[in-house]
Structures are given as structure tokens and as C-alpha cells.
Amino acid sequence: MDSLKSLSMTQAALSWVSKTGAFVPTPSTIRNSISKDPKSQFPAESGRYHLYISYACPWASRCLAFLKLKGLQKAISYTVVKPIFERTKETDQHFGWVFPSSSTEEAGAEPDHLNGAKSVRELYELGSSNYSGRYSVPVLWDKKLKIIVNNESSEIIRMLNTEFNEMAENADMDLYPSHLRARIDDVNEWVFDAINYGVYKCGFAIKQGPYDEAVTKLYNSLDKCEEIFAKQRYICGNELTEADVRLFVTLIRFDEVYSVHFKCNKKLLREYPNLFNYTKDIYQIPGISSTVNMEHIKKHYYGSHPSVNPHGIIPIGSNTNYFAPHDRDRFNN
């Protein structure tokens, strides 16, 4: 990696670090909603919306997981970016998500046939002349109005769960059911802070204190999950919910990336019997495995964070078989 590119990508990563050396994420800012109400500004219509995602990004991957679980592939199209950050414009030093120039350039990624954009940054600039936030994925795009509807994954998955049921193949699947919402919200809160973002707090900490605090909270929460899964199949009981999808996207990346790249090495996922079997269980749900591209995941993390991995070397990894048998269906008896 050339020194200028390395410096620019390092500066991008360090922009999320506070003066105390702790990782502080930047919130999403485009927060419009799609509604089943045909009179709304963004009505749920088959063929109108498009998702831009990265297989590498856990936040984008959970949107793709909902798309597959609900059976919305015919109603909502999607495009996958390349895994490693590249320069998004020749006029400045910004590096971010880009599209391949052809369908054969990067396996699993494809050009932006919808808008002809070269990068996700261009999508934001197409959709808004005064946008000043991060050029992140996922992007939920309105083909009709040619603007971004929403770039907050936690809100996108809720829309996919309920607003497109008239065109969903699995309309009866409710991943945020009313009788479990309080429990789901509670689980989401501590999983998000300690696990989903906890691994990032470990990986991007630039001082020992913030790392120690984050890694302690991370493993306390993983231990808590291990205890929960000793008693029930899913995180909120014996019913699959959005909380499981949100937890899964971090767990599936844990041994291959976070344990090495983000210094989360106190204990591997596969050393937790219940957590490991739980991850295999979720992975084997129809549609979920197609949202996991470990090649993209490893290329992105090890190749896009020179402040953490300056030479971009990708470790060989464990090549874990997540299709191996698990024992989680015992809770259905």
C-alpha cells in the first residue's frame, strides 16, 4: 500500500477516535421512512427501492439478511460494492466504498448499473447537494425520486420487516413482534454497545485504558450470551427476532477478523459451546449464508485499516464450517 493512501485511510479511521483515545462512532443522518401508506412521501412499492451494501459491513449485511429472510428480492434490488476502500475522487484524498468497473473485476461485487456511480460517495452527492456526513453503507435508494431514503440500518431493517409485507414471500415472518419488543429493545441496547460496537472500540482504541474498558465489557457480554444460550435457542427466547440478526453479524466475523485484527483474543467464538452452535444455527437459516462473504469480510478489514494493519496482510484464518451440525433445535422439544 502506497504511503499516501495509507495516510489518508489512517486519518479516516482516526477521525472516529476521541481525545481520550476511545472509538466514537458517527451517527447516520438520513432518516426518512418508507411506509405501507400509499399516500406517504415514500410509499412501499415493488421495484421502486434499491439497496447498496457491502458484504464486509455488518450494518449493511443485516439489511441484506432481512431482505432475504422476508423474501423481498423481487421487490427490492441491491448492489454490492468492492471490499477494500479506494480513492473516491481524484481531486482529494478521501478513501471509501467503490464499485468495480466491470462484473468480472471483483467476485461478488458489481458496477452500479442503476446510477452509474463510481463510488458510494457519488451516490450521496447525487442524492444531495449539501450532504456533509460519512459516505457509509447501507444506502436505501429511491429510484423514482433519485435520492437516498435512509442510511441507518436499524431503521431500514424495521421497514423491511413490516412495510413491504404485501409483496414479501415471507409476509408472516415478524422479527419485531409486539409481545417481544421491550425485550428486543433491551437486548439490542447492550449488544450494540458492548458487542456490535464493542469490537470496534477495542480495535480502534489508541490508548490502553479505553481498550481495557471495551474488551472487558465485550467479554462480560459474550459470557452473558453464553449463559443465555444455555437455556434458550435465541437471544430473546425461543423465537427468532431482529436481535438475533443484529448479534449474528458480529459473531460471524469474530474469529476470522475481530479476534486478530481488533485484539479481541481473550477467547474465540468457537471456544464458547453455546455461542458457537447458536452462530451455526443462525447461519443455516435459509438465506442467511448467502449474506456472508468471508472473502469480502477479510479483504475489507485487513486491507482498509492501515492504522491497525499497515501492510494489509490477510491472516490465513480458521476456515470454520458453519454448516456443521449444531444442537440448538433441542429447545424445540
Side-chain angles (χ1 to χ4, degrees):
M1 183 180 297
D2 66 77
S3 58
L4 185 58
K5 178 178 180 180
S6 178
L7 177 61
S8 298
M9 294 169 72
T10 297
Q11 289 172 337
L14 292 179
S15 68
W16 298 338
V17 177
S18 72
K19 292 180 180 179
T20 63
F23 174 78
V24 181
T26 303
S28 302
T29 56
I30 306 177
R31 313 288 285 270
N32 302 302
S33 297
I34 295 173
S35 171
K36 62 181 71 173
D37 180 357
K39 297 180 180 179
S40 67
Q41 181 184 5
F42 301 101
E45 298 174 0
S46 181
R48 174 167 175 170
Y49 301 100
H50 189 86
L51 264 175
Y52 290 97
I53 67 110
S54 164
Y55 283 126
C57 173
W59 324 114
S61 293
R62 66 191 191 184
C63 294
L64 184 59
F66 265 69
L67 192 76
K68 297 293 182 74
L69 288 170
K70 291 290 293 186
L72 287 168
Q73 298 94 313
K74 294 179 181 178
I76 302 172
S77 51
Y78 67 92
T79 301
V80 181
V81 298
K82 293 173 68 174
I84 299 178
F85 285 164
E86 295 182 16
R87 189 193 297 272
T88 58
K89 248 182 192 178
E90 292 301 321
T91 54
D92 58 41
Q93 299 304 317
H94 176 267
F95 283 78
W97 303 110
V98 301
F99 299 98
S101 57
S102 71
S103 57
T104 58
E105 180 184 339
E106 179 84 46
E110 56 190 317
D112 176 24
H113 297 297
L114 181 61
N115 290 298
K118 303 300 182 184
S119 68
V120 169
R121 175 184 181 173
E122 283 190 33
L123 293 174
Y124 280 85
E125 293 173 344
L126 281 170
S128 174
S129 59
N130 58 358
Y131 181 77
S132 60
R134 289 180 54 237
Y135 306 116
S136 60
V137 290
V139 167
L140 182 56
W141 182 267
D142 185 336
K143 299 178 186 178
K144 183 176 181 179
L145 299 181
K146 299 188 183 303
I147 61 173
I148 297 173
V149 179
N150 196 295
N151 68 343
E152 171 49 55
S153 64
S154 64
E155 295 176 356
I156 294 173
I157 63 176
R158 296 271 174 93
M159 298 177 215
L160 298 179
N161 183 53
T162 59
E163 303 309 302
F164 292 87
N165 278 341
E166 289 189 4
M167 55 209 79
E169 294 177 7
N170 299 320
D172 292 337
M173 174 180 281
D174 186 359
L175 296 165
Y176 190 57
S178 57
H179 66 284
L180 286 176
R181 286 181 183 176
R183 190 182 303 178
I184 292 170
D185 290 344
D186 175 66
V187 168
N188 283 346
E189 185 175 353
W190 62 262
V191 166
F192 172 83
D193 179 60
I195 300 177
N196 296 146
Y197 264 122
V199 293
Y200 284 82
K201 292 176 186 178
C202 294
F204 286 120
I206 59 172
K207 293 184 179 179
Q208 191 67 45
Y211 167 79
D212 290 342
E213 180 181 349
V215 79
T216 298
K217 183 182 287 188
L218 168 65
Y219 278 96
N220 285 343
S221 296
L222 291 176
D223 290 343
K224 178 178 180 179
C225 287
E226 180 70 4
E227 293 178 7
I228 290 172
F229 293 133
K231 303 171 185 176
Q232 59 196 46
R233 186 166 187 173
Y234 302 114
I235 191 70
C236 292
N238 287 323
E239 183 176 342
L240 181 74
T241 69
E242 72 165 42
D244 294 293
V245 178
R246 290 170 58 126
L247 175 59
F248 169 80
V249 294
T250 297
L251 298 182
I252 197 66
R253 291 160 171 76
F254 201 88
D255 285 6
E256 292 287 356
V257 174
Y258 302 143
S259 65
V260 179
H261 189 57
F262 282 170
K263 307 177 186 69
C264 302
N265 63 344
K266 179 181 178 182
K267 197 172 182 180
L268 296 173
L269 177 71
R270 57 186 184 272
E271 294 179 83
Y272 287 99
N274 296 317
L275 261 177
F276 185 41
N277 279 317
Y278 165 82
T279 304
K280 289 186 286 184
D281 188 12
I282 303 298
Y283 184 84
Q284 292 173 33
I285 295 172
I288 292 294
S289 65
S290 68
T291 71
V292 179
N293 186 319
M294 197 58 70
E295 186 76 11
H296 276 224
I297 291 169
K298 292 172 68 172
K299 278 186 175 181
H300 170 70
Y301 282 95
Y302 292 115
S304 298
H305 302 149
S307 61
V308 180
N309 187 35
H311 299 294
I313 304 300
I314 301 176
I316 191 171
S318 60
N319 197 29
T320 301
N321 179 18
Y322 287 97
F323 278 119
H326 61 77
D327 61 357
R328 304 302 294 167
D329 52 1
R330 72 183 189 272
F331 293 107
N332 291 350
N333 298 329

